[in-house]
Amino acid sequence: VIVSMSNNPLFIPVFARLRMILKNVKLIYYLCLVSFLGVVFGCATNQNSALSAPLPQLKTESNYFTNNLGEPINLRGVSLCSLAWHSPLEQIKRVSDVNTGWHPNILRLPVQVREWDRIGGDAYIRSRLDPAVKLCRENGVYCIIDWHLIAAWDDPVSDKRLRDFWRKVAPLYANNSNVLYEICNEPTTPKQRTRENWLRWRKKAQNWVDFIRTLASETILLVGSPHWDQMTSFAANDPIAGKNIGYVTHVYPNYKPHKWDKLFGDAAAKIPMMITEWGWSSSATSKDSLLYGNTQSFGQPLRDYLDARPYIAWTAWSYDPHCGPAMLGNESDMGDFVKKWLSDIWQRKVSPL
């Protein structure tokens, strides 16, 4: 009957109208379905959507770390203690999740030498380093691969271990735009604070830089100095040759604020500077120790100093429950302080400068 009616000239306009209505209903149904799926998947992936865009390759210009357009980038974050202890992947997930309120844009990934030796290089890369770098990239943060050697820099054993490590690691992440290399955590002795000693160190470090450059031509290389990274100021007048070189210092409470200009501040006005370790402990066993301090005596003065010099990059040590000074341990004052500082920077949107 319906077929016969549809062929009746009297009903042709009616059925044409019905077909149009049905077509529109179907269109509305598909639009609703797409919108629903968009909401579902949007909710599932929105957690770090603000950090998910690919990061630009960093470089150095003058005394700045910059993006590929030459715009200064304000690098601020935390250092883990190890990629083999205390659930490091969970630490990376937690600290780089925008919903936790930390908001770093760079994380330091220390490769503890004894764990590298214990696990073996290939296994360490597969089970520790690759997942950590991948997670940082997915969560939109830069990361520093730190060869966490603490040793005499003129020791042939130190030289061999460093070269063996970077020979294997440097080419693996050379094309990762979010990766920086810290070539040696803390060179120790010879530690004389003289230009002559710096020039001897510079010759050694230059050899390492040139070696790594054959394996990673563009990656930023972070270079420390003797005396546990306490001589970097000499680089302002006698720098290492090459492009994309940054300089490292470590700052703890034994160096009082009135020493910071000479230690690193004056030099940072001329060369790219990153403090890859700083922190304090208010329960250090001795008030004369390296780490003893508190928010008032060390934390706030350092924040005031670095906020006035936003070109100095930093990662606070350490985002960990046990490695002292530990932000996640029984002492929460340092962790609370660092978290608020990073959150304030994020809220002010100070990157680029």
Side-chain angles (χ1 to χ4, degrees):
V1 175
I2 294 175
V3 173
S4 63
M5 291 176 65
S6 67
N7 293 325
N8 191 317
L10 295 175
F11 291 98
I12 287 175
V14 175
F15 279 96
R17 181 64 176 169
L18 286 173
R19 283 193 295 270
M20 182 64 67
I21 292 172
L22 290 173
K23 184 176 181 181
N24 288 337
V25 168
K26 184 182 292 186
L27 177 62
I28 292 171
Y29 167 79
Y30 283 122
L31 288 174
C32 290
L33 179 61
V34 169
S35 298
F36 171 76
L37 292 175
V39 169
V40 170
F41 286 104
C43 291
T45 60
N46 189 56
Q47 177 171 299
N48 269 10
S49 60
L51 298 176
S52 59
L55 291 167
Q57 179 77 44
L58 294 177
K59 58 182 180 178
T60 62
E61 291 187 10
S62 181
N63 65 324
Y64 293 97
F65 296 94
T66 75
N67 62 19
N68 50 7
L69 299 177
E71 299 167 330
I73 297 294
N74 213 219
L75 295 171
R76 302 285 188 269
V78 298
S79 176
L80 275 63
C81 175
S82 169
L83 293 181
W85 308 329
H86 316 145
S87 303
L89 294 182
E90 289 304 314
Q91 291 178 352
I92 294 171
K93 289 178 184 177
R94 186 166 60 247
V95 76
S96 61
D97 182 343
V98 295
N99 296 311
T100 65
W102 284 82
H103 304 296
N105 61 4
I106 189 166
L107 299 179
R108 184 173 182 245
L109 310 178
V111 178
Q112 297 283 352
V113 177
R114 61 179 175 177
E115 294 302 312
W116 174 267
D117 291 342
R118 181 182 67 84
I119 297 171
D122 291 337
Y124 190 103
I125 291 168
R126 184 174 59 254
S127 64
R128 306 290 181 175
L129 197 52
D130 271 347
V133 171
K134 180 175 183 289
L135 188 55
C136 288
R137 182 174 65 249
E138 291 173 348
N139 286 5
V141 292
Y142 290 100
C143 62
I144 302 166
I145 297 177
D146 157 41
W147 178 232
H148 206 73
L149 181 68
I150 305 173
W153 54 267
D154 63 349
D155 184 350
V157 174
S158 299
D159 182 87
K160 183 179 186 305
R161 299 185 86 176
L162 184 146
R163 290 174 181 272
D164 287 348
F165 174 79
W166 288 114
R167 184 180 292 109
K168 186 178 289 288
V169 170
L172 295 180
Y173 308 102
N175 295 322
N176 288 40
S177 64
N178 71 313
V179 175
L180 301 79
Y181 294 156
E182 186 172 353
I183 66 174
C184 181
N185 170 45
E186 287 184 340
T188 57
T189 56
K191 64 178 185 177
Q192 295 81 2
R193 293 173 177 274
T194 64
R195 181 171 181 266
E196 290 72 24
N197 195 41
W198 168 262
L199 293 177
R200 287 193 295 270
W201 154 254
R202 187 182 67 168
K203 183 177 180 180
K204 171 65 74 174
Q206 187 72 65
N207 288 335
W208 290 341
V209 165
D210 293 345
F211 168 69
I212 296 171
R213 273 287 172 254
T214 66
L215 307 168
S217 61
E218 300 296 327
T219 305
I220 285 183
L221 303 183
L222 300 175
V223 183
S225 65
H227 206 290
W228 295 264
D229 295 327
Q230 303 299 304
M231 290 178 56
T232 310
S233 60
F234 285 97
N237 295 322
D238 295 299
I240 291 169
K243 65 179 181 179
N244 293 337
I245 305 294
Y247 296 90
V248 168
T249 194
H250 291 173
V251 184
Y252 288 107
N254 64 321
Y255 284 95
K256 306 304 180 186
H258 70 273
K259 296 182 178 180
W260 293 344
D261 283 346
K262 186 175 181 180
L263 182 65
F264 65 91
D266 291 345
K270 300 179 180 180
I271 56 176
M273 184 76 69
M274 184 180 295
I275 303 173
T276 58
E277 288 187 21
W278 66 266
W280 77 85
S281 171
S282 56
S283 66
T285 56
S286 169
K287 291 188 177 182
D288 295 325
S289 75
L290 170 72
L291 303 179
Y292 181 80
N294 54 48
T295 301
Q296 291 71 35
S297 67
F298 183 77
Q300 191 59 49
L302 185 65
R303 174 170 180 169
D304 294 342
Y305 191 89
L306 295 181
D307 279 350
R309 299 162 178 80
Y311 43 84
I312 301 177
W314 55 259
T315 55
W317 176 276
S318 70
Y319 189 82
D320 190 87
H322 302 295
C323 292
M327 282 183 255
L328 308 180
N330 294 328
E331 296 181 77
S332 62
D333 56 334
M334 181 189 164
D336 293 342
F337 179 87
V338 174
K339 182 177 182 180
K340 176 147 191 332
W341 189 0
L342 288 171
S343 181
D344 288 347
I345 292 171
W346 180 78
Q347 291 173 9
R348 290 197 307 266
K349 307 291 186 184
V350 297
S351 177
L353 296 175

